[in-house]
Amino acid sequence: MRPLRLGIIGAGLMGREMASAVSRWCALEDVGIGCEITAVCDLAPGARAWFRRLPSVSLTTADHRELLASDQVDAVYVAVPHQLHEKIYLDVIEAGKDLLAEKPFGIDLAAARKIAARSKELGRFVRCSSEFPFLPGAQRVFQFAREGKLGRPLEVRSAFLHSSDLDPSKPVNWKRQNVTCGEIGVMGDLGMHVMHLPLRLGWKPKRVYAQLQKVYRERPDGKGGTAAADTWDNAVLHADAEVLGEEIPLRLEMKRLSPGDTNSWIFEVTGTDAGARFSTKDPKALWLFRRGKEQSWERIDLGFAMPFKTVTGGIFEPGFPDILQQMLAAFAAERAGLLGERFGCVTPDEAVASHEVFAAALDSHRTRKAVEL
Ligand SMILES: NC(=O)c1ccc[n+]([C@@H]2O[C@H](COP(=O)([O-])OP(=O)(O)OC[C@H]3O[C@@H](n4cnc5c(N)ncnc54)[C@H](O)[C@@H]3O)[C@@H](O)[C@H]2O)c1
């Protein structure tokens, strides 16, 4: 099978991270398809120049339409600021290319719905980014939750926590301004990461009560002045979801100001008989709760048990670059019909569902009431 020829639009932090994932494709043992980056687009010359280190790249351009016109590109990974998602994602699918979109899949619910509807209409293969569920610990909690051996379900917590914004001298950038990040703020930034597993498990919130916080309203603009930082910094969503036939609390936490959390992704499911917990803070550990004569939380040291097998030794530790590669492997495999039972990327329907929750959260915060979905 011909390798997937990937174009990248937006060669910033994530564009380069994806390039690194592709460059290590030889580590993957059972994807069934290769992958190479053939074309790159970014407005910034420096960002394009970085890609000279990849011999497979034959086209670099500042105009994404030029990349989309290339017959050397099958699918495109787009990692640009959120206000550009709708236009560029639609351009990608209308040019006949498949799309690996970055979250939040459009700046708001209306944009997400338009992108999803158009991709269905045109029959394109479209998926959205969310890599943490590919971690071995996350996969184990997911499998545990799917088996439904909780006893009576108690509650679910899904969280993604950052802390660098605690520093008031951190300059503002497009992620901290509504016009470029979106009115949903931190939910657009971190929300897909907390919604992916609950939605995949069928635990879509039925109603949501949101507590949203803006903490620092101004930040250095990086040019000697200050600029408004008007996005929501922290969001805690108290939702009700049906789990194993019972409505229980589902707590969704997305925070840019969480003391001490550099990039903590947490997923926890508990019931009266059993529970499971994983956090990237302790990335090897799977915690399993058991209620017997005595109650215990058992800690299991996990190795490199990824959905897609790799050459990496089974006892070694996985990290962010590994899961981004796993996510791309899932995209490539599913597009080629080779995913099988393995875990797949966020679908357009799931991305739209996450936006429905974020839109309800804005509404809830405005009215200080729980909002039905
Ligand atoms: N999955 C993850 O873990 C994760 C992490 C960080 C960011 N993201 C998402 O990735 C996307 C990009 O974030 P980032 O951190 O890489 O941002 P970034 O600011 O580092 O990079 C964005 C790049 O887009 C380029 N760009 C802007 N307008 C463009 C245009 N019209 N055409 C081509 N290029 C253009 C910029 O020059 C810049 O290089 C966002 O959607 C963000 O939410 C995902």
Side-chain angles (χ1 to χ4, degrees):
M1 195 179 293
R2 193 175 72 188
L4 169 65
R5 298 170 308 171
L6 193 69
I8 292 182
I9 301 176
L13 174 76
M14 290 311 291
R16 288 195 295 268
E17 199 62 54
M18 197 54 95
S20 136
V22 175
S23 304
R24 255 179 5 100
W25 205 261
C26 60
L28 292 159
E29 296 279 40
D30 63 353
V31 185
I33 181 166
C35 183
E36 60 185 20
I37 296 173
T38 51
V40 174
C41 166
D42 199 291
L43 298 180
R48 297 196 299 276
W50 184 93
F51 275 81
R52 283 202 208 109
R53 62 186 74 182
L54 266 67
S56 60
V57 173
S58 56
L59 169 70
T60 55
T61 173
D63 182 350
H64 72 271
R65 287 163 306 183
E66 194 186 340
L67 180 146
L68 296 177
S70 166
D71 62 5
Q72 298 302 304
V73 172
D74 305 313
V76 188
Y77 170 63
V78 186
V80 294
H82 303 166
Q83 86 282 11
L84 301 171
H85 283 191
E86 181 179 345
K87 161 85 178 126
I88 296 185
Y89 292 2
L90 290 174
D91 284 351
V92 169
I93 54 188
E94 280 166 5
K97 312 294 186 193
D98 291 331
L99 169 68
L100 177 54
E102 257 306 338
K103 48 83 190 164
F105 203 75
I107 197 162
D108 57 18
L109 175 58
R113 283 188 172 144
K114 244 187 253 170
I115 300 158
R118 194 74 180 127
S119 64
K120 252 179 221 164
E121 209 173 287
L122 295 171
R124 301 282 178 261
F125 181 72
V126 174
R127 290 294 180 265
C128 183
S129 168
S130 155
E131 60 278 10
F132 293 97
F134 289 88
L135 277 164
Q139 284 290 307
R140 287 286 292 272
V141 181
F142 175 65
Q143 280 153 18
F144 165 84
R146 259 202 328 199
E147 283 166 8
K149 293 180 184 155
L150 290 168
R152 300 194 60 168
L154 287 174
E155 60 180 21
V156 178
R157 177 181 177 222
S158 187
F160 194 29
L161 311 173
H162 286 181
S163 59
S164 61
D165 281 26
L166 287 169
D167 175 3
S169 69
K170 182 176 171 177
V172 80
N173 64 18
W174 65 263
K175 294 174 186 173
R176 281 156 201 88
Q177 299 193 305
N178 278 346
V179 62
T180 41
C181 177
E183 205 200 329
I184 54 177
V186 66
M187 296 183 281
D189 240 7
L190 308 182
M192 192 74 79
H193 297 294
V194 307
M195 292 300 307
H196 189 173
L197 284 186
L199 289 172
R200 187 59 57 86
L201 287 157
W203 301 343
K204 187 174 175 192
K206 293 189 155 187
R207 68 191 63 78
V208 62
Y209 179 76
Q211 293 170 313
L212 310 180
Q213 284 173 284
K214 281 182 196 179
V215 182
Y216 294 121
R217 287 157 193 262
E218 264 193 351
R219 284 187 175 276
D221 64 4
K223 300 171 206 152
T226 56
D230 54 359
T231 53
W232 295 114
D233 288 319
N234 284 3
V236 178
L237 275 51
H238 304 272
D240 295 310
E242 192 173 309
V243 174
L244 301 173
E246 298 200 33
E247 225 172 76
I248 63 162
L250 162 62
R251 196 160 82 245
L252 305 161
E253 295 170 40
M254 295 143 272
K255 296 182 184 174
R256 290 175 177 160
L257 294 95
S258 177
D261 285 303
T262 46
N263 200 43
S264 303
W265 183 94
I266 298 154
F267 191 58
E268 189 175 318
V269 182
T270 49
T272 52
D273 293 349
R277 181 197 290 161
F278 171 74
S279 165
T280 55
K281 251 193 180 326
D282 189 3
K284 288 169 88 153
L286 169 70
W287 289 91
L288 293 177
F289 171 72
R290 230 188 350 219
R291 182 176 64 82
K293 209 165 168 197
E294 289 180 310
Q295 302 183 8
S296 67
W297 276 100
E298 180 188 9
R299 183 193 201 277
I300 299 167
D301 243 24
L302 298 172
F304 208 84
M306 291 288 188
F308 291 88
K309 289 199 179 58
T310 67
V311 294
T312 306
I315 59 163
F316 296 155
E317 295 81 8
F320 185 90
D322 299 303
I323 50 175
L324 201 75
Q325 186 188 52
Q326 290 281 318
M327 180 182 85
L328 183 61
F331 176 83
E334 191 172 6
R335 180 178 177 275
L338 301 171
L339 188 65
E341 293 303 305
R342 291 175 289 199
F343 189 81
C345 301
V346 169
T347 65
D349 285 346
E350 288 169 337
V352 169
S354 74
H355 266 291
E356 285 169 355
V357 174
F358 308 148
L362 289 183
D363 204 13
S364 164
H365 187 78
R366 232 177 345 250
T367 57
R368 303 285 174 171
K369 291 199 168 93
V371 171
E372 299 286 328
L373 274 127

